[in-house]
Amino acid sequence: MKFGTSGLRGLSVDLKGRASALYVTAFGRYLLDSGMVRQGDAILIGQDFRDSSPEIAANCADALAGLGFEIRDCGRVPTPALALNALQEKAACLMVTGSHIPADRNGIKFYRPDGEIDKADEAAITAAATELDIAGFTFETRHTGPKNQSGECLAVFRDRNAGLLPAHALAGLKIGVYQHSTVARDLLVDLLEHFGAKVVPFGRSETFVPVDTEAVSDETILKLKDVARQHNLDALVSADGDGDRPLVADETGMPLRGDLLGLITANFLGAETVVTPVTSNSGIEAAGHFSVIRTRVGSPFVISGMQDALAAGGVHVAGFEANGGVLIANDFNVNDHMLRALPTRDCFVPILATLSLAASRRQSLSVIAASHHLPFAAADRLENFPVETSARLMAYLRSGSASLTAFLQPIGEVGSLSDIDGLRVTLTDRRITHFRPSGNAPEMRCYVEAESPAAAAALLQTSLERIRWWAKAN
């Protein structure tokens, strides 16, 4: 078990057992010891559609009930819906989800009564879990039968989004909703129809389908293209497993990059300060009327950057990640609707903002994407790439200019470097290749930028091949 870029992650078989109860007990004790909550306070629990999630959620409920908390079951709801409901009630919450990673893995996202936990909280929870483990922690199933709050949780979140656009704002658009196994699947259809769109749901699955919105698989893209052509769609939308990362594809079925969705949303909101990780497109700074703060990858770092911006006197502060998830630091007035702060990733606002732009301009999403004139970017990952191998590779690349030059010899010459998170190399010809181990899974990620889609694809392929070569040789 370890905390990654967003939440605790591990093998499903482990989390179904003692491990989930151990970490959730540590979380509960940390909240009590720090004075953030008291015994008898409510804690909300949500989950995704993974086969392992109900058992893990039950373990979490039992462990927290054993500490004297009132447990409220929000069922299978999007993470941002759970977080919003908990914020309004000033209650802690946790979401059982592995987000986009394969079904043999799962995770838990933790929230204090005032929002998502930060890196200091993660360290404290890990230390408390270690102490409990050493002391011989045991877990007993209690069958708590928590209060059901799923309907209220979804209603609060729907109301937040239902006033975001004018009535019939999406009338005339025909939109496909790739439902697969995301907990956002029914609410997406509901909201798009609410705004007047004609909706074509497809691909609903009773087994878990991992969809990574930051590195959409070729198989998924082929599915989107086929459905777009078959139904003559204007756009297709979806989300990852827990509904905090959006997927928006244009009229051809080609997904738009998440950082473009974030950029469109920042402009839609009228943000004055934008916080985004170093992996987001290098053209963001010149693409809007806002200042930009760059961070490491992961929502805790984006949230910390937003908090720093607010503390420095910033107003209208928003953030987004390269996966498209948008975070809102303070209240925004949008279309005469008060959009309350929600400093955790959300897929719904970026989806609605992007579709409303297409509707208001009466332009296709492919034209809108091209109009932003961002450098062409691509990203992918090597799955089942041992964490130890990633660590050795990064140590080698950082060991000196000779090592990095040798590694990049088939790719290009080093112009400049950024070591904020992973190693981001700007080559002398201004192409960018960025090597970064995943914080959530045994994966090695690569992000690139180039002057054309073909050049970006070629650079990505060469960079990934170079990683494979090094791993075999070392």
Side-chain angles (χ1 to χ4, degrees):
M1 296 300 114
K2 65 173 291 189
F3 282 96
T5 53
S6 180
L8 183 75
R9 296 287 171 86
L11 292 172
S12 297
V13 66
D14 293 335
L15 280 166
K16 286 197 296 184
R18 174 176 176 267
S20 55
L22 173 68
Y23 274 88
V24 168
T25 299
F27 171 60
R29 289 191 176 182
Y30 171 64
L31 292 177
L32 290 168
D33 292 345
S34 62
M36 296 184 206
V37 300
R38 297 176 297 179
Q39 283 189 336
D41 285 353
I43 292 188
L44 282 57
I45 299 178
Q47 60 180 281
D48 66 14
F49 279 112
R50 293 166 191 268
D51 289 343
S52 59
S53 291
E55 185 173 339
I56 296 169
N59 284 355
C60 295
D62 287 343
L64 291 169
L67 294 176
F69 292 107
E70 176 194 347
I71 310 303
R72 298 184 186 174
D73 178 16
C74 290
R76 288 163 167 160
V77 296
T79 294
L82 177 73
L84 179 68
N85 197 198
L87 277 173
Q88 290 194 350
E89 296 196 7
K90 296 182 173 56
C93 69
L94 57 88
M95 179 73 179
V96 178
T97 180
S99 188
H100 63 281
I101 61 178
D104 66 339
R105 295 177 175 272
N106 210 328
I108 305 173
K109 295 180 179 179
F110 299 93
Y111 291 78
R112 305 178 314 225
D114 61 344
E116 191 173 331
I117 64 171
D118 60 24
K119 289 299 177 182
D121 297 323
E122 288 179 3
I125 293 166
T126 300
T130 301
E131 289 182 10
L132 286 168
D133 191 27
I134 293 172
F137 174 81
T138 58
F139 171 61
E140 179 181 344
T141 301
R142 298 173 182 271
H143 303 294
T144 55
K147 175 184 175 182
N148 187 312
Q149 194 166 304
S150 58
E152 177 184 337
C153 184
L154 281 172
V156 167
F157 191 62
R158 186 190 186 281
D159 288 347
R160 167 188 172 81
N161 291 283
L164 189 61
L165 304 178
H168 311 297
L170 304 182
L173 292 183
K174 189 177 183 182
I175 303 169
V177 176
Y178 178 30
Q179 293 195 299
H180 64 92
S181 53
T182 175
V183 289
R185 60 190 183 186
D186 293 324
L187 189 54
L188 279 172
V189 172
D190 177 22
L191 284 169
L192 295 179
E193 290 180 340
H194 168 77
F195 288 118
K198 182 176 181 180
V199 178
V200 179
F202 69 96
R204 193 179 184 93
S205 175
E206 297 307 313
T207 57
F208 187 78
V209 179
V211 172
D212 186 349
T213 66
E214 196 172 359
V216 184
S217 69
D218 291 340
E219 179 184 1
T220 298
I221 292 175
L222 286 174
K223 183 192 298 285
L224 298 177
K225 285 180 173 292
D226 182 59
V227 173
R229 182 172 55 252
Q230 180 182 349
H231 294 281
N232 193 28
L233 300 176
D234 296 299
L236 303 94
V237 303
S238 189
D240 65 337
D242 67 318
D244 68 348
R245 305 179 185 202
L247 173 60
V248 177
D250 67 18
E251 70 281 2
T252 73
M254 178 57 65
L256 275 59
R257 280 188 52 86
D259 44 17
L260 173 59
L261 303 181
L263 169 61
I264 290 171
T265 307
N267 287 325
F268 169 80
L269 294 172
E272 296 178 9
T273 302
V274 166
V275 182
T276 193
V278 65
T279 50
S280 291
N281 195 288
S282 64
I284 297 294
E285 277 79 354
H289 300 289
F290 44 67
S291 60
V292 178
I293 299 172
R294 295 281 182 164
T295 72
R296 293 180 61 187
V297 174
S299 55
F301 298 110
V302 175
I303 293 167
S304 177
M306 293 194 305
Q307 290 171 340
D308 290 345
L310 291 174
V315 294
H316 298 147
V317 178
F320 62 84
E321 297 190 82
N323 54 47
V326 167
L327 307 90
I328 299 177
N330 55 324
D331 298 347
F332 282 79
N333 191 305
V334 183
N335 294 318
D336 295 323
H337 169 70
M338 185 57 68
L339 186 68
R340 297 296 181 187
L342 184 59
T344 197
R345 278 194 308 256
D346 172 30
C347 81
F348 286 85
V349 171
I351 287 173
L352 295 175
T354 302
L355 294 176
S356 69
L357 183 62
S360 64
R361 286 189 181 179
R362 298 188 178 184
Q363 291 180 327
S364 66
L365 284 179
S366 62
V367 169
I368 286 173
S371 73
H372 284 80
H373 302 294
L374 295 176
F376 292 97
D380 205 347
R381 56 185 171 160
L382 297 179
E383 297 182 276
N384 301 313
F385 198 88
V387 173
E388 297 79 10
T389 306
S390 295
R392 286 191 291 107
L393 171 60
M394 298 310 296
Y396 170 77
L397 295 178
R398 292 179 172 121
S399 63
S401 59
S403 299
L404 183 60
T405 298
F407 183 85
L408 293 173
Q409 193 274 328
I411 300 174
E413 296 181 8
V414 177
S416 61
L417 298 175
S418 170
D419 205 1
I420 292 176
D421 194 345
L423 198 63
R424 188 174 181 86
V425 184
T426 301
L427 303 169
T428 53
D429 59 10
R430 304 191 67 79
R431 291 179 301 154
I432 294 173
T433 184
H434 184 165
F435 307 103
R436 177 183 165 270
S438 170
N440 290 326
E443 298 172 351
M444 188 69 190
R445 291 184 176 268
C446 184
Y447 315 81
V448 302
E449 292 183 17
E451 68 277 7
S452 70
L459 178 58
L460 180 61
Q461 182 65 27
T462 305
S463 297
L464 291 173
E465 287 175 356
R466 199 62 179 161
I467 296 171
R468 292 190 189 98
W469 168 83
W470 189 91
K472 288 181 179 179
N474 293 273

